[in-house]
Amino acid sequence: MKILLVSGHRPGHNLCKATGVDEGSLNVELVRSLLPLLSPYAQVDVYPYERDMYQDNKNGCLKVSLKDYRYIFEVHFNAGGGRGTSVQLHSAYKGGISVEQAIADNMAALGFKKRGDNGIVRRSDLLNMNTALRLGIDYALIEVCFYDSAADLALYRQRQKETARAIAEGIIDRFGLKAGNAGPSSGQAETRNAVVTGCSSLNVRRTPNGAVLGTVKGGASLRILGAGKDPDGDVWYKVTDGRLTGYVWPRYVR
Ligand SMILES: [Zn+2]
């Protein structure tokens, strides 16, 4: 199963003066924590951290092909004077909500107050959510808690690792994902062909996030041989173009 994780906004955006924290950085931090938790169970891609998927979608220049994904999960933190957590789905989404309900329940178990209908909020005013619905892709957005609430933010800081686990376990348990089903990310699947996309020149490294051996150009054909993790737990593809063999950042390979 292929999952796309999205961190809302960009690092540094939506600064809250009261708490001194910006939402973009919180979103990225949590997605970075989710990635290694989910990667053994699914083929997980991350929308480029430095980009705002909403803006890219609005401008018609999305950096990934959404149709490739079975599930899109977008991370935000809330603001505006409330407290608590909510998992948000499209009002017209007719599919099951057991994944999202499990996430809301897991979050509540950490001490976050459930908002909306037992932690689920339905809406139809979000562009990425609308796009996913139109394409028939399951999509959910979490508003983890209120980052302009000192109390919510303190709870999150205290339970950051558990928050990531609460979300990941909801997805793993309720989709029935099994370890080792990660596809190429697991390093166990058969090799496959791919193309360098979304960048003009991609570094090929000796080890995951290690020394650069050389580069391959945008549009170049590669063969994915496997995968490996860097010390942060991020997954890198092992590839060859017949000349160079090494590790590349999966975001730029399709
Ligand atoms: Zn947001």
Side-chain angles (χ1 to χ4, degrees):
M1 168 159 148
K2 284 193 79 170
I3 297 174
L4 179 67
L5 296 176
V6 181
S7 52
H9 318 288
R10 287 190 289 153
H13 280 222
N14 293 2
L15 176 71
C16 170
K17 290 207 175 75
T19 56
V21 175
D22 74 86
E23 190 202 344
S25 298
L26 285 170
N27 297 338
V28 168
E29 174 191 79
L30 185 51
V31 170
R32 280 190 192 281
S33 302
L34 287 173
L35 184 58
L37 296 177
L38 290 170
S39 289
Y41 296 88
Q43 194 180 327
V44 187
D45 291 338
V46 171
Y47 199 81
Y49 290 118
E50 71 279 9
R51 301 201 63 91
D52 183 331
M53 179 178 159
Y54 161 75
Q55 291 292 344
D56 284 349
N57 194 1
K58 200 168 80 173
N59 297 332
C61 64
L62 283 170
K63 300 302 172 197
V64 302
S65 168
L66 299 185
K67 294 192 300 297
D68 294 347
Y69 297 95
R70 166 73 177 80
Y71 192 54
I72 301 173
F73 189 80
E74 181 161 345
V75 171
H76 286 258
F77 282 69
N78 220 335
R83 286 202 62 184
T85 192
S86 60
V87 184
Q88 310 200 341
L89 295 164
H90 200 285
S91 312
Y93 173 69
K94 299 278 200 304
I97 64 162
S98 67
V99 171
E100 292 74 24
Q101 189 62 61
I103 293 170
D105 292 347
N106 292 347
M107 292 292 292
L110 296 178
F112 295 105
K113 186 172 90 64
K114 284 183 194 171
R115 296 172 61 82
D117 179 6
N118 196 25
I120 303 294
V121 167
R122 297 277 186 167
R123 58 195 294 182
S124 56
D125 59 337
L126 296 175
L127 179 63
N128 291 343
M129 189 182 273
N130 290 344
T131 302
L133 183 82
R134 198 177 65 240
L135 294 171
I137 302 160
D138 285 359
Y139 170 104
L141 179 151
I142 189 167
E143 294 277 7
V144 177
C145 66
F146 280 70
Y147 74 106
D148 62 353
S149 154
D152 260 17
L153 195 60
L155 178 60
Y156 173 70
R157 286 295 185 212
Q158 215 172 49
R159 315 297 300 267
Q160 201 273 341
K161 282 202 170 70
E162 291 99 322
T163 300
R165 273 207 296 275
I167 296 168
E169 281 169 9
I171 294 172
I172 292 163
D173 293 347
R174 299 309 169 101
F175 274 119
L177 304 180
K178 299 276 184 287
N181 284 352
S185 306
S186 72
Q188 296 163 4
E190 72 269 45
T191 64
R192 66 175 172 94
N193 292 322
V195 173
V196 178
T197 185
C199 72
S200 57
S201 167
L202 178 62
N203 287 330
V204 180
R205 297 171 186 271
R206 188 180 302 281
T207 57
N209 209 16
V212 175
L213 297 169
T215 61
V216 286
K217 288 199 159 47
S221 296
L222 298 175
R223 185 131 194 107
I224 297 178
L225 304 173
K229 286 185 180 178
D230 65 25
D232 290 338
D234 289 338
V235 173
W236 294 67
Y237 284 156
K238 185 175 188 183
V239 301
T240 184
D241 68 349
R243 180 180 58 96
L244 278 172
T245 299
Y247 290 86
V248 298
W249 190 230
R251 175 191 305 167
Y252 298 115
V253 174
R254 291 279 161 242

